[in-house]
mmCIF file of all heavy atoms in Angstrom:
data_model
loop_
_atom_site.group_PDB
_atom_site.id
_atom_site.type_symbol
_atom_site.label_atom_id
_atom_site.label_comp_id
_atom_site.label_asym_id
_atom_site.label_seq_id
_atom_site.Cartn_x
_atom_site.Cartn_y
_atom_site.Cartn_z
ATOM 1 N N ALA A 190 81.961 59.356 56.948
ATOM 2 C CA ALA A 190 82.340 58.479 55.831
ATOM 3 C C ALA A 190 83.480 57.549 56.221
ATOM 4 O O ALA A 190 83.537 56.394 55.778
ATOM 5 C CB ALA A 190 82.733 59.316 54.614
ATOM 6 N N ASP A 191 84.395 58.021 57.079
ATOM 7 C CA ASP A 191 85.489 57.170 57.545
ATOM 8 C C ASP A 191 84.968 56.087 58.487
ATOM 9 O O ASP A 191 85.412 54.932 58.427
ATOM 10 C CB ASP A 191 86.548 58.014 58.255
ATOM 11 C CG ASP A 191 87.355 58.887 57.315
ATOM 12 O OD1 ASP A 191 87.310 58.648 56.092
ATOM 13 O OD2 ASP A 191 88.032 59.811 57.806
ATOM 14 N N VAL A 192 84.053 56.460 59.359
ATOM 15 C CA VAL A 192 83.450 55.473 60.263
ATOM 16 C C VAL A 192 82.746 54.386 59.451
ATOM 17 O O VAL A 192 82.892 53.186 59.723
ATOM 18 C CB VAL A 192 82.456 56.153 61.225
ATOM 19 C CG1 VAL A 192 81.727 55.122 62.088
ATOM 20 C CG2 VAL A 192 83.165 57.173 62.098
ATOM 21 N N ALA A 193 81.995 54.797 58.441
ATOM 22 C CA ALA A 193 81.266 53.840 57.605
ATOM 23 C C ALA A 193 82.221 52.932 56.852
ATOM 24 O O ALA A 193 81.957 51.726 56.692
ATOM 25 C CB ALA A 193 80.359 54.584 56.628
ATOM 26 N N GLN A 194 83.340 53.470 56.375
ATOM 27 C CA GLN A 194 84.313 52.635 55.671
ATOM 28 C C GLN A 194 84.869 51.559 56.589
ATOM 29 O O GLN A 194 84.994 50.393 56.193
ATOM 30 C CB GLN A 194 85.465 53.476 55.116
ATOM 31 C CG GLN A 194 86.482 52.624 54.347
ATOM 32 C CD GLN A 194 87.635 53.430 53.780
ATOM 33 O OE1 GLN A 194 87.472 54.594 53.426
ATOM 34 N NE2 GLN A 194 88.801 52.798 53.699
ATOM 35 N N VAL A 195 85.194 51.928 57.825
ATOM 36 C CA VAL A 195 85.700 50.940 58.771
ATOM 37 C C VAL A 195 84.638 49.882 59.046
ATOM 38 O O VAL A 195 84.930 48.675 59.080
ATOM 39 C CB VAL A 195 86.153 51.615 60.076
ATOM 40 C CG1 VAL A 195 86.472 50.573 61.145
ATOM 41 C CG2 VAL A 195 87.358 52.504 59.830
ATOM 42 N N ALA A 196 83.398 50.303 59.229
ATOM 43 C CA ALA A 196 82.310 49.353 59.481
ATOM 44 C C ALA A 196 82.199 48.346 58.341
ATOM 45 O O ALA A 196 82.088 47.134 58.568
ATOM 46 C CB ALA A 196 80.992 50.113 59.650
ATOM 47 N N ALA A 197 82.225 48.843 57.115
ATOM 48 C CA ALA A 197 82.116 47.950 55.955
ATOM 49 C C ALA A 197 83.328 47.049 55.839
ATOM 50 O O ALA A 197 83.205 45.855 55.535
ATOM 51 C CB ALA A 197 81.944 48.782 54.684
ATOM 52 N N ASP A 198 84.511 47.590 56.103
ATOM 53 C CA ASP A 198 85.730 46.798 55.965
ATOM 54 C C ASP A 198 85.767 45.648 56.963
ATOM 55 O O ASP A 198 86.106 44.514 56.605
ATOM 56 C CB ASP A 198 86.966 47.678 56.142
ATOM 57 C CG ASP A 198 87.217 48.602 54.949
ATOM 58 O OD1 ASP A 198 86.590 48.383 53.894
ATOM 59 O OD2 ASP A 198 88.035 49.538 55.095
ATOM 60 N N VAL A 199 85.435 45.920 58.228
ATOM 61 C CA VAL A 199 85.560 44.854 59.229
ATOM 62 C C VAL A 199 84.542 43.743 58.969
ATOM 63 O O VAL A 199 84.824 42.561 59.249
ATOM 64 C CB VAL A 199 85.436 45.386 60.673
ATOM 65 C CG1 VAL A 199 86.518 46.406 60.974
ATOM 66 C CG2 VAL A 199 84.058 45.941 60.981
ATOM 67 N N LEU A 200 83.380 44.086 58.415
ATOM 68 C CA LEU A 200 82.388 43.062 58.118
ATOM 69 C C LEU A 200 82.709 42.328 56.815
ATOM 70 O O LEU A 200 82.625 41.100 56.745
ATOM 71 C CB LEU A 200 80.997 43.675 58.062
ATOM 72 C CG LEU A 200 80.431 44.097 59.419
ATOM 73 C CD1 LEU A 200 79.130 44.874 59.244
ATOM 74 C CD2 LEU A 200 80.198 42.900 60.320
ATOM 75 N N ALA A 201 83.087 43.062 55.779
ATOM 76 C CA ALA A 201 83.396 42.424 54.497
ATOM 77 C C ALA A 201 84.633 41.545 54.589
ATOM 78 O O ALA A 201 84.715 40.496 53.944
ATOM 79 C CB ALA A 201 83.577 43.484 53.418
ATOM 80 N N ASP A 202 85.608 41.966 55.409
ATOM 81 C CA ASP A 202 86.851 41.210 55.537
ATOM 82 C C ASP A 202 86.791 40.173 56.655
ATOM 83 O O ASP A 202 87.673 39.311 56.731
ATOM 84 C CB ASP A 202 88.022 42.153 55.821
ATOM 85 C CG ASP A 202 88.260 43.153 54.698
ATOM 86 O OD1 ASP A 202 87.818 42.880 53.564
ATOM 87 O OD2 ASP A 202 88.874 44.200 54.978
ATOM 88 N N GLY A 203 85.798 40.278 57.531
ATOM 89 C CA GLY A 203 85.756 39.404 58.699
ATOM 90 C C GLY A 203 86.843 39.711 59.712
ATOM 91 O O GLY A 203 87.219 38.864 60.523
#
Side-chain angles (χ1 to χ4, degrees):
D191 288 345
V192 175
Q194 181 180 328
V195 171
D198 287 347
V199 300
L200 288 172
D202 298 339

